[in-house]
Amino acid sequence: MIKNLKNIACIAMVALAISSCSKTKDAPAAQEAVVKKDKVYNYITSLGFPSSSIVDLGTEYMVEGDISFPKNMEVPVTDGSPKLEQYYTGTLVSPANAVAIRVFADATMTSMNAEIASAVAQWNAVAGSALKFKIVTAAPYDIRITDVNLGNGVCGAGTFPSGGLAGNLIRINKAYIATNSFAQRARTICHELGHNISFRHTNWAALGESAAINVPGVGGTDALSLMNGGQCGSGAAVLSARDKAATAALY
């Protein structure tokens, strides 16, 4: 009887040890899943971006090289009813806010004020669009443009709209684009402004990026699009006819 009790006790201890090891082994994996699946991360994947394209930079997620999702951003909430943004990846600036998007260049960007003015003028000249940018010299503002060293190969980075507001930050790699022509420097700023009002890269398929939904009535590729990605210093310097048509369709 005593021998049997000892055997039972040994079996129980072995089972407990196995159970304890399993829990210890599984804990890190469970914790990692929680860390990665925060609301902003889930929002990014809901837009069609694959997990493999999401780069965690600490305070933000970066996708496609130049689109930033701050981890403290307001994640849009939808009620499931049809909305224009269902036809386009990302959310739009609300009509009330789109008519006067205030753009502020901080002290690090004063040497490129002319390029910023040129970029803003292009978007403001789109026929049939109610969207308008307004350059301001002090707070309050909706978009701040600042100089940040983003490393070689990256001209700038924009931010998608959130909560009915334009993306609030554009980072320009000023030293990297300094030797580009005026038109190409302005093109970089104009391109990032496009991201801040919700535009994806027109050539997303050729770049192998996550699938994007065409703006209604303005589908297909466009070699002349200023919103083509991967063309730092060499891309189209003016909005194409399709860029303008897409802007008018969304705004």
Side-chain angles (χ1 to χ4, degrees):
M1 180 70 176
I2 294 174
K3 184 177 180 180
N4 288 338
L5 289 173
K6 287 182 176 180
N7 288 338
I8 292 171
C10 288
I11 292 170
M13 290 178 67
V14 170
L16 178 61
I18 292 174
S19 174
S20 298
C21 289
S22 297
K23 287 181 180 178
T24 303
K25 183 178 179 180
D26 292 343
Q31 183 178 7
E32 182 179 3
V34 171
V35 170
K36 286 191 173 180
K37 293 182 180 179
D38 59 66
K39 63 181 182 178
V40 175
Y41 186 96
N42 289 337
Y43 171 59
I44 297 170
T45 57
S46 77
L47 295 177
F49 295 103
S51 298
S52 59
S53 73
I54 304 173
V55 180
D56 190 336
L57 297 179
T59 59
E60 65 181 319
Y61 292 113
M62 187 74 75
V63 298
E64 297 185 355
D66 71 336
I67 304 173
S68 169
F69 291 84
K71 290 185 178 180
N72 63 352
M73 70 176 284
E74 179 184 342
V75 175
V77 177
T78 61
D79 59 9
S81 60
K83 290 183 175 63
L84 188 57
E85 55 261 45
Q86 286 183 293
Y87 299 96
Y88 194 72
T89 302
T91 56
L92 298 176
V93 182
S94 71
N97 293 322
V99 295
I101 302 172
R102 297 162 296 184
V103 177
F104 169 70
D106 69 20
T108 66
M109 288 297 297
T110 53
S111 64
M112 288 192 180
N113 280 340
E115 288 90 331
I116 293 171
S118 175
V120 163
Q122 284 212 54
W123 289 109
N124 287 350
V126 174
S129 169
L131 180 140
K132 292 291 183 289
F133 291 102
K134 177 183 178 182
I135 295 176
V136 297
T137 57
Y141 51 81
D142 301 300
I143 300 174
R144 179 170 68 94
I145 303 180
T146 189
D147 171 34
V148 176
N149 183 353
L150 299 170
N152 288 341
V154 183
C155 285
T159 312
F160 276 157
S162 175
L165 299 171
N168 64 2
L169 179 66
I170 289 176
R171 287 169 289 182
I172 299 299
N173 196 349
K174 195 167 69 169
Y176 185 72
I177 68 172
T179 58
N180 291 349
S181 67
F182 176 91
Q184 285 298 319
R185 294 194 300 271
R187 186 257 183 199
T188 291
I189 296 165
C190 196
H191 178 95
E192 301 310 335
L193 283 170
H195 286 320
N196 281 48
I197 58 173
S198 198
F199 280 106
R200 286 278 305 278
H201 291 144
T202 306
N203 61 341
W204 60 268
L207 295 176
E209 296 173 348
S210 59
I213 301 173
N214 292 322
V215 174
V218 195
T221 59
D222 179 9
L224 300 178
S225 174
L226 189 146
M227 289 309 300
N228 281 328
Q231 298 181 352
C232 178
S234 62
V238 296
L239 294 170
S240 71
R242 285 190 174 185
D243 289 336
K244 295 175 182 178
T247 306
L250 292 179
Y251 293 102

